[in-house]
């Protein structure tokens, strides 16, 4: 079945691979005559094939040992496919409604076979650019984050279970190092990889590099092994329809700060908000849509907080060893702990969200929300507002007591 050594597959060799792999061939009823295979990778890291037959379908994702968009001059570990499979499997068990099922993993070919999210599923970021409302997005994403973060943390697990899991994901060091570089380091120094909407944001990029308080705050965010996090939970890692929300691509998964995932998602929604003025036209000023995004940001955090604390109450007498019952044995003490934990998590989320926003404006990898605004001066104006908010959130995150305060700060920038 699985090959003895690694080789990148193309459409032709993939058919032979599927024929030799029962866990995949069974998904299409062992029928190969009418099979269609289409490569849909975004051209950045992996090969991604959609395989469709009359009796079934699936997606094949294969990691290659370099950054695909650059070539072999920029190596990238193939082992990311292993950690992606681990994360998809674990998160899928904890939240099966919002994580696609894994059918197959080949550790020699660094290849994953998983559920095909059929149309009308699209990448959330593209839906946000198009101005599409998703009424269940906050409900679904808060559910995904509450379940996956709580149940992989010491609030739910024993120390032994947690340490074993942390140790396993420590192997994803190369992608963690990449994250640290592009999120926490490069935007704050001169780096050949950095880019921004020049010349409009030249001064703004320099201001980020010269802001000592900003540098101190971003340095403080770097390390906490709280839970199994997705590691790259932006709006390009979520596929949606009005009724379905599916989280994909956790190849950056590791045991890290819960706020990193929450902040990444909220921060990307904020970027989408500030991009709307660049997509507005005479037929649609996007004002109503901007209000929907703000409601979604507020509802996502509010529902997450509610669900996370409900899980904590439900399992307060369970095996979790973060706060041992014989020590934290009074209801008023338990309430104090919970309030402080959630407050710290909120502030962490704001900080990480802000860091993610900054790197998407003056770092190496940008977002389509802004990049698809053709007028550079209009794009820069949108980016500048987002950057100003991000700097405020990062430096003053502890001053915010509720998500409503963040919404007010966003509105103030637009007034």
């Amino acid at each position: 079945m699985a090959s003895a050594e690694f080789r990148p597959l193309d459409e032709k060799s993939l058919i032979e691979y599927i024929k030799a792999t029962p866990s995949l061939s069974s998904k299409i009823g062992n029928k190969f005559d009418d099979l269609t295979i289409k490569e849909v990778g975004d051209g950045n890291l992996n090969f991604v094939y959609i395989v469709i037959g009359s009796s079934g379908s699936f997606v094949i994702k294969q990691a290659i040992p370099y950054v695909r968009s650059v070539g072999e001059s920029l190596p990238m570990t193939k082992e990311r496919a292993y950690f992606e499979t681990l994360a998809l499997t674990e998160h899928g068990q904890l939240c099966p409604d919002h994580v696609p099922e894994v059918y197959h993993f080949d550790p020699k070919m660094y290849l994953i076979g998983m559920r095909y999210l059929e149309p009308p599923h699209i990448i959330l970021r593209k839906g946000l650019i198009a101005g599409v409302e998703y009424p269940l997005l906050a409900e679904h994403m808060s559910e995904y984050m509450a379940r996956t973060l709580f149940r992989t943390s010491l609030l739910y697990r024993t120390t032994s279970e947690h340490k074993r899991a942390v140790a396993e994901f420590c192997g994803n060091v190369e992608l963690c190092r990449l994250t640290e570089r592009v999120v926490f380091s490069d935007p704050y120094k001169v780096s050949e990889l950095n880019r921004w909407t020049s010349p409009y944001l030249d001064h703004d990029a320099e201001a980020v590099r010269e802001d000592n308080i900003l540098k101190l705050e971003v340095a403080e965010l770097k390390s906490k092994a709280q839970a199994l996090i997705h590691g790259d939970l932006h709006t390009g890692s979520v596929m949606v329809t009005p009724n379905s929300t599916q989280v994909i691509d956790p190849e950056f998964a590791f045991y890290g700060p819960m706020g990193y995932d929450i902040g990444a998602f909220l921060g990307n929604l904020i970027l989408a908000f500030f991009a709307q003025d660049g997509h507005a036209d005479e037929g649609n000023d996007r004002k109503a849509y901007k209000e929907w995004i703000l409601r979604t940001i507020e509802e996502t955090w509010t529902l997450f907080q509610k669900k996370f604390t409900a899980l904590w109450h439900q399992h307060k007498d369970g095996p979790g060893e973060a706060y041992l019952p014989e020590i934290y044995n009074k209801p008023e003490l338990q309430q104090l702990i919970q309030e402080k934990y959630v407050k710290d998590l909120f502030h962490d989320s704001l900080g990480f969200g802000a860091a993610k926003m900054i790197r998407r404006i003056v770092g190496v990898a940008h977002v389509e929300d802004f990049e698809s605004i053709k007028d550079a001066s209009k794009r820069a104006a949108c980016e500048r507002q987002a950057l100003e908010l991000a700097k405020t959130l990062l430096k003053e995150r502890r001053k915010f007591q509720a998500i409503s305060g963040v919404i007010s700060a966003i509105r103030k920038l637009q007034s």
Side-chain angles (χ1 to χ4, degrees):
M1 186 190 76
S3 300
E5 58 184 39
F6 174 83
R7 70 187 193 284
L9 295 175
D10 56 21
E11 282 90 340
K12 187 178 178 182
S13 57
L14 183 56
I15 292 177
E16 297 307 312
Y17 182 88
I18 294 166
K19 284 180 179 178
T21 309
S23 57
L24 295 176
S25 56
S26 63
K27 291 293 176 185
I28 50 172
N30 292 295
K31 296 178 182 176
F32 297 93
D33 293 341
D34 61 350
L35 213 57
T36 62
I37 297 177
K38 184 181 180 185
E39 208 283 315
V40 296
D42 61 10
N44 203 22
L45 286 180
N46 310 290
F47 284 104
V48 181
Y49 297 96
I50 295 173
V51 180
I52 299 176
S54 57
S55 301
S57 61
F58 51 82
V59 165
I60 293 291
K61 183 173 181 180
Q62 186 179 32
I64 53 176
Y66 51 86
V67 175
R68 183 180 167 189
S69 58
V70 177
E72 294 184 23
S73 62
L74 187 54
M76 176 69 74
T77 173
K78 302 188 298 296
E79 281 73 16
R80 63 187 186 272
Y82 169 71
F83 295 105
E84 179 169 1
T85 303
L86 276 187
L88 280 170
T89 303
E90 180 143 9
H91 282 175
Q93 289 168 350
L94 298 174
C95 195
D97 289 345
H98 303 304
V99 180
E101 183 183 354
V102 174
Y103 302 145
H104 171 74
F105 176 63
D106 184 335
K108 292 192 175 74
M109 293 288 283
Y110 299 97
L111 178 148
I112 313 168
M114 67 188 97
R115 178 191 162 195
Y116 169 46
L117 299 172
E118 65 286 338
H121 280 96
I122 64 166
I123 293 293
L124 173 58
R125 193 184 302 285
K126 294 186 181 297
L128 293 169
I129 292 168
V132 180
E133 291 188 16
Y134 297 97
L136 297 176
L137 182 63
E139 177 69 43
H140 289 169
M141 288 303 295
S142 60
E143 183 77 10
Y144 166 80
M145 292 189 294
R147 283 176 173 268
T148 58
L149 296 176
F150 179 83
R151 290 179 181 268
T152 58
S153 76
L154 276 170
L155 298 173
Y156 182 77
R157 286 181 165 173
T158 65
T159 302
S160 298
E161 290 171 333
H162 190 71
K163 294 289 186 192
R164 272 196 298 272
V166 170
E168 176 129 52
F169 275 89
C170 276
N172 206 9
V173 62
E174 202 166 312
L175 267 65
C176 287
R177 188 183 293 123
L178 178 62
T179 293
E180 286 187 5
R181 177 180 175 180
V182 300
V183 177
F184 300 110
S185 299
D186 279 3
Y188 305 92
K189 65 185 180 75
V190 174
S191 168
E192 62 183 20
L193 296 176
N194 288 344
R195 62 187 181 89
W196 52 85
T197 305
S198 185
Y200 304 97
L201 296 185
D202 287 358
H203 175 73
D204 303 80
E206 184 183 4
V208 168
R209 297 193 298 270
E210 298 300 321
D211 193 325
N212 290 334
I213 304 298
L214 208 58
K215 291 178 181 179
L216 286 172
E217 292 296 340
V218 80
E220 197 177 298
L221 290 169
K222 274 193 180 181
S223 59
K224 272 187 189 178
Q226 287 179 315
L228 176 56
I229 65 172
H230 179 285
D232 201 25
L233 192 59
H234 53 71
T235 50
S237 297
V238 181
M239 293 193 74
V240 286
T241 71
N243 303 308
S244 169
T245 307
Q246 302 289 319
V247 177
I248 61 171
D249 293 347
E251 60 194 339
F252 283 81
F254 67 104
Y255 269 76
M258 295 181 186
Y260 192 83
D261 270 5
I262 303 164
F265 184 68
L266 295 179
N268 272 260
L269 288 180
I270 295 171
L271 292 178
F273 171 88
F274 283 111
Q276 293 306 312
D277 286 350
H279 298 295
D281 54 38
E282 288 181 10
N284 184 355
D285 62 11
R286 298 284 181 117
K287 285 182 180 175
Y289 191 61
K290 285 163 70 177
E291 288 301 313
W292 175 79
I293 295 178
L294 291 182
R295 285 197 305 276
T296 301
I297 291 167
E298 189 159 9
E299 286 172 12
T300 299
W301 171 259
T302 303
L303 287 168
F304 167 81
Q305 183 179 349
K306 182 179 177 184
K307 292 172 182 181
F308 189 87
T309 52
L311 284 167
W312 196 336
H313 284 302
Q314 183 185 342
H315 298 285
K316 68 180 190 301
D317 298 319
E321 293 189 41
Y323 300 100
L324 296 170
E326 56 266 33
I327 300 172
Y328 304 93
N329 51 7
K330 295 178 180 175
E332 61 269 26
L333 180 55
Q334 290 172 350
Q335 186 176 343
L336 277 174
I337 286 164
Q338 200 169 84
E339 287 173 356
K340 184 182 186 307
Y341 194 101
V342 172
K343 184 179 177 183
D344 289 347
L345 182 50
F346 177 59
H347 292 153
D348 281 356
S349 300
L350 297 186
F352 285 116
K356 297 284 274 186
M357 290 169 67
I358 290 168
R359 78 94 156 194
R360 292 297 193 177
I361 298 167
V362 298
V364 56
H366 291 208
V367 290
E368 191 182 347
D369 310 64
F370 291 135
E371 298 287 279
S372 56
I373 301 169
K374 292 183 173 61
D375 183 326
S377 63
K378 188 183 285 188
R379 179 170 72 243
C382 295
E383 290 174 320
R384 182 174 289 115
Q385 286 189 327
L387 188 59
E388 284 306 306
L389 180 81
K391 287 159 68 175
T392 299
L393 289 182
L394 185 50
K395 292 194 281 190
E396 301 178 20
R397 63 188 182 278
R398 297 171 197 86
K399 294 181 182 178
F400 290 91
Q401 299 306 307
I403 191 69
S404 57
V406 177
I407 303 301
S408 297
I410 294 171
R411 288 191 191 280
K412 189 175 178 183
L413 271 169
Q414 290 261 295
S415 60

